[in-house]
Amino acid sequence: MNVTIVDYNSGNISSVINSFKEVAKDKVNIEVTSDLNKIKSSDKVVLPGQGSFKSCVDALNGITGLVETLNEFVITNKKPLLGICVGLQMFADLGYEETETKGLGWISGKVLKIDNQNNKFKLPHIGWNEISIIKESKIFKDIENKSHMYFVHSYEFIPDDKNVISATTDYSSNIVCSVEKENIFGTQFHPEKSDKIGLQIINNFMNL
Amino acid sequence: MLKNRIIPCLDVKNGRVVKGINFVDLKDAGDPVEQAKIYSDGGADEICFLDITASNENRDTIYDVVERTSKNCFVPLTVGGGVRGVEDINKLLNCGADKVSINTAAVQNPEVIIESSKKFGSQCIVVAIDAKKNGNKWEVFTHGGRNNTGLDTVEFAKKMEDSGAGELLVTSMDRDGTQIGYDNDLMFKISSTVNIPVIASGGVGNLDHLVDGIKLGNASAVLAASIFHYGTHSINEAKQYLNSKGIPVRI
């Protein structure tokens, strides 16, 4: 099996690479590339993302044909994709970090700044927080409810259809931290930095 | 609910772990990669490496340490010490660091923080502030605590937040190595001024000091070196203790 981590200059992806390689051992081939043909031929794709919504979207658009290739992979061919952090946020129609920016539009909704109740909650939301699993998700196999995951973000994804939400976390309000819509998976938290439990999520995704 | 973090810090020199008492009198005590793995297996919420003599010596050893650690530890890894600019940050991130802490360069050229937070995202930019009390204010020190800039620490902290820092790592130079506890007045003053997380550092000698850093200093995370490094307490003991005092921790 081939799993491709999309390398599109979205910031630091070495931890994502290390964690997937750790889980893959010799059983799964991990590619790190923006090569369109390699993405097309892979079985699963990981879309990481660090920095702002706008900078990640700009970086995706900066590689000719990449968005079209991802659309084909996800929408036409219905192959599994995991978005991490801003990678998940870009599933939305629109993001509002820096300026209004169009996302991939795979799951309708918006990405807005977390309402921190007049600075009652510090931003970014950094650290370990419990997730409340509200829907069975294939990537949560053997993951207990209230497990701790590592978060770093100031913006949250607000999907129109609440049925796509698989987990939330409590930080000033119930923030969407995991979504599943058919073959599309996303985590706002960083499984690659969430210790053994995070590696389990990566393992679940690879075993889909 | 967001948990308060416990961050063991390893001072690294020439690829080996040392812990200074007031930055002098160093004792060599082990391999950083092995030590970091012990910490992460023990429940550390993050690992911090401080390359203490980085400004003066061959820095390549730290890159190798970071690279090997990141392949063995799957919790956030923060690396600081001698980070001068975007090039150094880029190199550390590529080796597998998740965050980079910047001290002297942030004071000398605040543009570095603006530029690097735009380029890499605020989430990986930690500004490390070394502060020393002078009368009724605290002044910012650089170069591992050797140079007094005369800058007001609280104002500087605010400026760093505005420049794009994602977190502040605040060390009291008066307390570092003393084991008498954090300067919680300083921590509280900064954490109530800025709206980004503050990591308290400098002076931990027992587990109550960690509790105080959070309860009195209002810190989001507490950093310590010696009490963990010399085996006085394990990470798990620290977490159990904080939990018993009503502080939310990841257990």
Side-chain angles (χ1 to χ4, degrees):
Chain A
M1 184 171 61
N2 285 307
V3 175
T4 298
I5 298 169
V6 185
D7 182 6
Y8 63 101
N9 309 314
S10 69
N12 176 29
I13 60 169
S14 35
S15 288
V16 174
I17 299 167
N18 286 337
S19 61
F20 272 78
K21 287 192 170 164
E22 171 76 9
V23 175
K25 304 279 186 211
D26 301 324
K27 297 171 294 189
V28 178
N29 181 39
I30 305 291
E31 290 272 1
V32 182
T33 184
S34 59
D35 183 288
L36 305 183
N37 287 324
K38 282 190 174 158
I39 294 172
K40 280 177 193 165
S41 66
S42 60
D43 300 293
K44 292 177 181 123
V45 162
V46 181
L47 185 62
Q50 283 202 345
S52 73
F53 187 97
K54 183 179 184 301
S55 68
C56 285
V57 169
D58 286 349
L60 272 188
N61 288 327
I63 297 171
T64 310
L66 181 56
V67 170
E68 292 77 5
T69 300
L70 291 173
N71 279 332
E72 184 189 307
F73 187 91
V74 169
I75 305 299
T76 315
N77 297 331
K78 300 258 179 234
K79 290 208 252 182
L81 177 139
L82 175 68
I84 299 173
C85 198
V86 184
L88 164 146
Q89 294 179 0
M90 288 192 296
F91 295 170
D93 303 313
L94 285 171
Y96 291 89
E97 189 168 1
E98 290 181 54
T99 173
E100 187 178 301
T101 308
K102 267 186 86 170
L104 293 162
W106 294 340
I107 301 181
S108 326
K110 295 185 170 82
V111 175
L112 299 172
K113 192 159 193 179
I114 295 170
D115 174 10
N116 70 339
Q117 301 175 16
N118 286 324
N119 295 343
K120 207 173 132 202
F121 290 84
K122 287 184 180 285
L123 287 181
H125 170 219
I126 298 185
W128 296 81
N129 208 333
E130 289 169 352
I131 61 164
S132 298
I133 299 176
I134 58 172
K135 183 180 94 169
E136 278 294 310
S137 174
K138 294 182 191 107
I139 59 169
F140 289 154
K141 186 174 172 284
D142 296 329
I143 304 291
E144 282 179 32
N145 192 27
K146 302 287 172 192
S147 290
H148 287 95
M149 299 295 170
Y150 186 78
F151 289 84
V152 191
H153 64 126
S154 299
Y155 284 74
E156 60 173 323
F157 177 35
I158 301 175
D160 294 338
D161 177 6
K162 305 300 173 203
N163 291 318
V164 301
I165 303 169
S166 52
T168 61
T169 192
D170 182 13
Y171 193 68
S172 82
S173 67
N174 286 326
I175 290 172
V176 173
C177 71
S178 179
V179 295
E180 177 179 338
K181 184 188 171 191
E182 299 171 31
N183 54 320
I184 306 171
F185 301 84
T187 61
Q188 178 60 65
F189 54 81
H190 290 267
E192 77 278 13
K193 288 283 110 187
S194 295
D195 215 347
K196 293 179 190 72
I197 201 100
L199 298 184
Q200 177 64 41
I201 290 182
I202 291 169
N203 191 44
N204 290 341
F205 176 72
M206 285 210 255
N207 287 332
L208 281 176
Chain B
M1 175 183 221
L2 183 65
K3 305 302 162 79
N4 290 106
R5 285 169 283 158
I6 296 185
I7 307 174
C9 179
L10 294 165
D11 290 2
V12 179
K13 184 183 182 185
N14 298 328
R16 299 283 294 172
V17 173
V18 288
K19 168 60 192 172
I21 310 294
N22 282 328
F23 293 124
V24 291
D25 215 22
L26 303 175
K27 298 177 193 171
D28 189 331
D31 172 28
V33 182
E34 204 177 321
Q35 192 76 38
K37 177 78 178 142
I38 292 169
Y39 284 153
S40 77
D41 286 347
D45 295 312
E46 262 179 68
I47 308 282
C48 179
F49 283 146
L50 183 62
D51 193 10
I52 40 175
T53 50
S55 315
N56 313 323
E57 295 183 19
N58 184 344
R59 281 181 54 74
D60 289 350
T61 51
I62 194 69
Y63 295 120
D64 174 58
V65 166
V66 171
E67 199 164 349
R68 287 188 293 130
T69 305
S70 69
K71 292 194 167 108
N72 286 287
C73 296
F74 299 95
V75 298
L77 175 63
T78 303
V79 185
V83 178
R84 286 152 302 185
V86 170
E87 267 308 298
D88 292 342
I89 297 169
N90 193 29
K91 209 165 165 190
L92 285 168
L93 294 175
N94 280 335
C95 287
D98 298 291
K99 310 181 198 182
V100 173
S101 84
I102 303 145
N103 175 291
T104 302
V107 178
Q108 288 178 335
N109 181 14
E111 277 292 321
V112 167
I113 304 304
I114 297 171
E115 193 187 342
S116 57
S117 62
K118 275 203 184 123
K119 188 169 169 62
F120 306 108
S122 290
Q123 85 289 337
C124 65
I125 305 299
V126 180
V127 173
I129 307 176
D130 291 344
K132 203 169 188 171
K133 197 158 189 185
N134 184 5
N136 57 2
K137 70 170 197 168
W138 290 268
E139 289 168 334
V140 177
F141 279 65
T142 58
H143 298 86
R146 291 190 291 273
N147 293 8
N148 183 3
T149 65
L151 291 169
D152 179 78
T153 300
V154 179
E155 284 170 22
F156 180 68
K158 184 72 193 145
K159 185 176 173 189
M160 289 299 104
E161 177 185 28
D162 295 341
S163 302
E167 285 179 279
L168 299 175
L169 166 56
V170 182
T171 304
S172 159
M173 299 300 301
D174 302 301
R175 300 298 178 92
D176 201 64
T178 63
Q179 309 226 323
I180 59 169
Y182 298 119
D183 184 342
N184 289 313
D185 292 339
L186 168 67
M187 301 306 159
F188 185 81
K189 190 98 190 191
I190 293 179
S191 64
S192 54
T193 304
V194 299
N195 193 43
I196 53 177
V198 169
I199 305 164
S201 159
V204 174
N206 61 49
L207 299 181
D208 280 311
H209 293 153
L210 301 178
V211 174
D212 291 346
I214 293 162
K215 285 196 171 173
L216 305 177
N218 197 28
S220 298
V222 283
L223 181 140
S226 315
I227 61 158
F228 298 129
H229 191 57
Y230 292 117
T232 320
H233 295 285
S234 69
I235 303 283
N236 186 46
E237 273 171 23
K239 288 192 155 180
Q240 297 291 349
Y241 189 75
L242 264 62
N243 186 46
S244 76
K245 297 289 174 185
I247 291 173
V249 286
R250 175 180 70 114
I251 294 179

